[in-house]
Amino acid sequence: MQLIPHQIHFSLPSNQLASYSLTSSKMATRILIGLLFVAFFVAASASNFNQYFDITWGEGRGKILNNGQLLTLSLDKASGSGFRSKNEYLFGKIDMQLKLVPGNSAGTVTTYYLSSLGDAHDEIDFEFLGNLSGDPYIVHTNIYTQGKGNKEQQFYLWFDPTKDFHTYSILWNPQSIIFSVDGTPLREFKNFESKGIPFPKSQVMSIYSSLWDADNWATRGGLVKTDWTQSPFTASYGNFNIQACVWTSSSGSSCSSKTPSSSNQSWMKQSLDSTGHARIQWVQKNYMIYNYCTDTKRFPQGLPPECSVA
């Protein structure tokens, strides 16, 4: 934060000038100290990829730049790249700005997701399936509970995600999981454990992201292959923000069970209001291209139970 001095002019009687000079000097000092404290607090609390993430694979193809304010992942014919959060979380609200691979990105997949470990893992997925130049990206979402997924919904976006950064958010609390783009919800998966439907709520998850080659399925079912003459392919990340319950083996969750609705944990109670439901309906009417809850050919024995209660 840059502090820009400015001048304030007063008209004071001459016998008050000395007194005012001393008082104003003290006041200015206090204001400056206060502003410096604010500047320090903002800088300390601003997102910093060095603070939250480790590049975990890619042999230098993943980079943290600009003093931690920018992260890039790259893919070439030899390898992709990826990163992982330093912490594990049990519930949270995560906002990540991404600028996806520009140009001919067919065959590439950029992922941004939460996942626990093990075969019976929980997972909450954003996957961005590349395409030929001029064709829209497909946003692929999925949710795993106890190792079982098959809850895919796919969407086109209403903008070009390669031209600028956009915010992709995951809200995960005990009531629901909500996927959003620039504040517009795409999808909600509610907790219907009372009806016997599993919900991810007991396994801690880390945040992951990767850029990799999946031309055997990513674009038109694998019909369009990766054009390696366009490589390296690069996706960019910025303005990461998280409100979450950090989990440690020694002390458990950082969130207080006594104050789940306090201002810094209000997301734990957050759900969609009528406006949010209207936005989801708008997105699904205009931009949804696949919904597992309508794929009767895939589920000939009957659609998954959450499809009838959601």
Side-chain angles (χ1 to χ4, degrees):
M1 177 183 294
Q2 183 180 7
L3 302 180
I4 302 174
H6 60 279
Q7 294 182 333
I8 302 177
H9 297 282
F10 294 93
S11 176
L12 290 174
S14 59
N15 62 351
Q16 294 182 21
L17 285 176
S19 174
Y20 169 75
S21 176
L22 179 60
T23 304
S24 62
S25 176
K26 291 180 179 179
M27 184 181 298
T29 300
R30 291 174 181 172
I31 290 173
L32 180 59
I33 291 172
L35 288 174
L36 288 173
F37 174 80
V38 171
F40 172 80
F41 179 80
V42 170
S45 62
S47 61
N48 187 305
F49 286 103
N50 282 312
Q51 178 184 353
Y52 286 97
F53 296 101
D54 291 318
I55 305 293
T56 50
W57 63 283
E59 298 179 338
R61 292 173 179 83
K63 295 180 173 63
I64 298 178
L65 307 167
N66 297 352
N67 295 319
Q69 300 306 302
L70 176 69
L71 190 153
T72 61
L73 295 181
S74 292
L75 163 70
D76 57 33
K77 198 167 186 179
S79 178
S81 52
F83 63 84
R84 177 183 176 176
S85 62
K86 297 178 185 289
N87 292 321
E88 293 179 310
Y89 305 97
L90 187 62
F91 304 123
K93 184 177 186 297
I94 301 103
D95 301 320
M96 181 80 77
Q97 287 202 342
L98 279 81
K99 183 162 63 173
L100 298 176
V101 174
N104 181 1
S105 58
T108 71
V109 174
T110 305
T111 68
Y112 152 50
Y113 62 103
L114 298 170
S115 182
S116 61
L117 300 175
D119 293 336
H121 70 292
D122 294 340
E123 191 171 321
I124 303 171
D125 291 346
F126 261 125
E127 297 186 17
F128 305 92
L129 313 185
N131 220 325
L132 294 169
S133 298
D135 290 341
Y137 264 78
I138 291 175
V139 179
H140 177 100
T141 65
N142 199 2
I143 296 164
Y144 286 76
T145 54
Q146 297 295 317
K148 296 181 180 179
N150 300 326
K151 298 176 177 63
E152 300 93 343
Q153 290 184 355
Q154 294 183 340
F155 308 84
Y156 287 139
L157 292 169
W158 47 95
F159 53 83
D160 185 342
T162 72
K163 296 297 185 184
D164 205 349
F165 286 94
H166 293 269
T167 302
Y168 302 88
S169 303
I170 296 172
L171 172 65
W172 169 40
N173 64 27
Q175 292 78 239
S176 62
I177 295 165
I178 300 172
F179 297 82
S180 300
V181 178
D182 290 337
T184 296
L186 303 181
R187 174 181 186 179
E188 180 183 33
F189 184 81
K190 293 183 178 180
N191 184 343
F192 286 117
E193 285 184 308
S194 62
K195 300 182 183 295
I197 299 167
F199 183 84
K201 71 168 191 180
S202 59
Q203 298 193 72
V204 298
M205 296 199 253
S206 299
I207 304 169
Y208 295 85
S209 189
S210 60
L211 174 57
W212 55 290
D213 175 39
D215 71 357
N216 61 322
W217 65 270
T219 307
R220 294 183 60 196
L223 294 177
V224 183
K225 300 300 182 180
T226 305
D227 181 0
W228 292 112
T229 66
Q230 303 294 315
S231 69
F233 304 98
T234 300
S236 301
Y237 301 72
N239 288 338
F240 167 75
N241 183 61
I242 184 167
Q243 303 172 69
C245 301
V246 178
W247 180 271
T248 59
S249 57
S250 59
S251 57
S253 173
S254 63
C255 292
S256 170
S257 59
K258 296 180 181 179
T259 57
S261 60
S262 63
S263 59
N264 63 338
Q265 295 176 32
S266 59
W267 54 269
M268 282 284 274
K269 296 282 189 179
Q270 187 175 338
S271 61
L272 291 179
D273 56 14
S274 58
T275 300
H277 286 295
R279 287 181 176 178
I280 278 189
Q281 291 175 3
W282 173 79
V283 170
Q284 296 192 353
K285 177 182 178 181
N286 293 284
Y287 297 99
M288 177 180 277
I289 57 174
Y290 178 79
N291 182 2
Y292 77 108
C293 279
T294 61
D295 194 344
T296 54
K297 291 182 179 179
R298 183 181 176 188
F299 301 102
Q301 304 303 316
L303 294 172
E306 66 267 18
C307 296
S308 61
V309 298

